[in-house]
Amino acid sequence: MSARVDVSRSIAPQAAGYDVAAVRAAFPILTRQVHGKPLTYLDSAASAQRPQCVIDAVNDYETRHHANVHRGVHALSQEATDLFEGARDTVRQFLNARSTREIVFVRGTTEAINLVAQSYGRPRLQPGDEILITGLEHHANIVPWQMLREQTGAKLVVAPIDRTGNVSIDAIDARLSDRTRLVAVTHVSNALGTVLPIRDIVRAAHARRVPVLVDGAQAVPHEDVDVQALGCDFYAFSSHKVYGPTGVGVLYGREELLTEMPPWQGGGDMILAVTFDKTTYNSLPYKFEAGTPNISGVVGLAAALRYVEALGRPQIRSHEHQLLDYATQRLLTIPGLTIIGTAPVKAAVISFTIDGIHPHDLGTILDAEGVAIRTGHHCAMPVMDFFELPATARASFGCYSDRSDVDRLLAALAAAQKVFA
Ligand code: PLP
């Protein structure tokens, strides 16, 4: 899977019209030093950094508008509610959902998937029914289904990955059966960067009347996600992967499905009326939002999505793709380096190993050079098992990453190889 290329001849120019220096200037953390070296942040797939506008939006909310939402008649509560519900509409527009009733605020992708497992899956699934996932999934899109399997007797069916780290539509199609009740797939693999053909997967599943949940945690920062064009039934993502705060995320669900689903958690805000005999649940999406939400997080998420829209999703994508090509080609010049995950369509994530250096040692040496990469199983242990690896090193990029990051990564890898020579 590794190959040698002549870097000098084949590298495309940087994306024209995309001012990455200006983008970097919007992210204050990037001016930091780590261990006396300039920070080279190549861990955006784990959590992306925040631009100043997100920090300001959260700060402004906390400084001037905070109160609890939905319940108060006083000015601050109404301002907080307006910001919170305005953010819901920003998310709706970003995903091109039909209605804000389809946008549920949750803690993140993990909670969104658990919500669907417990509210959509648990009441419906019978012993022997099947949930189809792929071999590429993050643990967040495996474990909730295993828990559901324990609860219902349903089966987990896994469409395998191939040696490039791809899952073909044929591999998925072949595993759809009369017992499949839900397909739950990642849009972009966090471990390898593989982009899955969601439209084709939805088409194949819908041909059998099977709904599709998409784990969009790694796609929203990189791909142009339009839930109507994708046709999916559920789409989950986390704010912190797309330049927003931690502790907040979104479940998009088609209104017909959300309407039929029972609430997942009970408490304040998700009710219309409560007596000791009976509770009448609130309408969508509040039925799924029990308790006080992460209001400042939601405000920050909306600022992050507006920031991404202002930069331009096609522009970010094209910049990241050129960077991915540049990084791939430069990494392949390193003796003993193997890129894990060479699928034909990839997002800005590169997993790799280097002969004779454990990924954890590599991560530690790179950290001393100010280079932040991720090492380990990336919460995708079945992917590591498939490649018979304990771990990989992973460099991942965001809208602010540039060639100097890649060049510093290369220099740090050379330093690590000297240590282990
Ligand atoms: N799915 C994928 C593909 C991910 O990369 C991640 C996080 O790394 C998750 C799900 C879980 O996201 P969170 O921890 O924000 O809930």
Side-chain angles (χ1 to χ4, degrees):
M1 269 174 284
S2 88
R4 297 281 168 270
V5 290
D6 179 347
V7 186
S8 55
R9 278 191 291 116
S10 53
I11 290 172
Q14 265 184 0
Y18 186 84
D19 187 354
V20 68
V23 176
R24 288 174 83 82
F27 288 78
I29 206 167
L30 297 180
T31 60
R32 246 204 82 154
Q33 302 239 319
V34 171
H35 307 306
K37 309 269 170 57
L39 169 65
T40 301
Y41 190 73
L42 294 173
D43 198 18
S44 296
S47 200
Q49 298 297 347
R50 285 64 155 139
Q52 189 64 51
C53 61
V54 169
I55 298 166
D56 289 346
V58 172
N59 196 25
D60 181 60
Y61 169 77
E62 300 288 14
T63 312
R64 302 181 57 230
H65 305 293
H66 172 67
N68 211 335
V69 288
H70 299 148
R71 296 167 208 168
V73 292
H74 61 78
L76 287 189
S77 178
Q78 289 184 2
E79 285 170 25
T81 303
D82 287 348
L83 286 167
F84 187 78
E85 292 304 326
R88 199 187 303 275
D89 196 53
T90 302
V91 175
R92 183 199 64 72
Q93 286 175 42
F94 190 85
L95 295 179
N96 193 29
R98 288 175 199 82
S99 159
T100 49
R101 289 188 295 279
E102 302 183 312
I103 305 298
V104 179
F105 287 121
V106 288
R107 277 197 303 128
T109 308
T110 304
E111 189 171 74
I113 297 172
N114 277 278
L115 191 163
V116 175
Q118 291 305 311
S119 175
Y120 180 82
R122 195 166 180 179
R124 280 180 176 72
L125 263 64
Q126 302 293 321
D129 284 348
E130 295 171 1
I131 302 145
L132 177 57
I133 63 171
T134 80
L136 276 178
E137 304 307 322
H138 185 282
H139 298 162
N141 200 27
I142 301 174
V143 184
W145 309 117
Q146 291 175 327
M147 292 164 68
L148 185 61
R149 178 174 66 184
E150 297 295 312
Q151 291 159 342
T152 63
K155 291 201 285 193
L156 202 53
V157 177
V158 183
I161 51 181
D162 64 24
R163 293 304 299 171
T164 69
N166 198 21
V167 181
S168 70
I169 179 66
D170 292 344
I172 290 172
D173 207 16
R175 282 162 187 84
L176 282 165
S177 81
D178 293 344
R179 297 306 301 266
T180 313
R181 296 290 174 260
L182 185 74
V183 174
V185 290
T186 194
H187 195 166
V188 173
S189 154
N190 69 309
L192 307 179
T194 312
V195 181
L196 290 190
I198 297 299
R199 277 184 211 217
D200 295 342
I201 294 170
V202 169
R203 211 172 291 127
H206 282 185
R208 289 176 173 266
R209 298 175 169 277
V210 177
V212 179
L213 173 142
V214 182
D215 170 351
Q218 296 295 338
V220 164
H222 308 296
E223 301 292 310
D224 204 355
V225 175
D226 174 332
V227 289
Q228 292 190 61
L230 291 173
C232 59
D233 302 276
F234 300 104
Y235 198 96
F237 74 93
S238 302
S239 153
H240 69 105
K241 311 266 190 202
V242 64
Y243 315 110
T246 52
V248 61
V250 171
L251 173 68
Y252 156 80
R254 262 198 315 115
E255 188 169 349
E256 303 88 280
L257 294 183
L258 291 180
T259 301
E260 288 168 12
M261 287 159 54
W264 177 43
Q265 295 174 333
D269 242 26
M270 51 76 74
I271 55 91
L272 288 178
V274 178
T275 66
F276 286 117
D277 290 333
K278 183 175 181 308
T279 290
T280 311
Y281 300 130
N282 207 338
S283 54
L284 288 177
Y286 311 109
K287 179 172 88 170
F288 293 108
E289 294 179 355
T292 301
N294 181 349
I295 309 166
S296 66
V298 164
V299 168
L301 166 62
L305 298 184
R306 284 194 297 270
Y307 176 76
V308 167
E309 285 287 30
L311 285 186
R313 285 191 268 182
Q315 285 76 6
I316 295 174
R317 195 161 179 269
S318 144
H319 167 73
E320 288 179 350
H321 270 267
Q322 290 183 31
L323 198 59
L324 179 67
D325 286 350
Y326 177 71
T328 303
Q329 294 179 30
R330 295 241 26 218
L331 285 169
L332 289 174
T333 63
I334 295 181
L337 187 144
T338 304
I339 291 183
I340 310 297
T342 51
V345 190
K346 280 182 66 173
V349 172
I350 307 181
S351 253
F352 59 93
T353 58
I354 296 188
D355 290 348
I357 314 181
H358 192 281
H360 289 307
D361 295 332
L362 197 59
T364 308
I365 296 172
L366 263 55
D367 179 53
E369 300 293 320
V371 178
I373 60 160
R374 183 131 305 230
T375 59
H377 53 63
H378 316 296
C379 293
M381 281 177 149
V383 175
M384 299 297 119
D385 289 347
F386 175 80
F387 286 101
E388 296 177 354
L389 293 166
T392 67
R394 183 188 72 185
S396 55
F397 307 100
C399 63
Y400 40 67
S401 308
D402 71 0
R403 290 181 179 207
S404 73
D405 291 322
V406 175
D407 296 342
R408 281 202 283 265
L409 170 66
L410 267 283
L413 290 174
Q417 282 190 310
K418 272 200 197 120
V419 172
F420 282 86

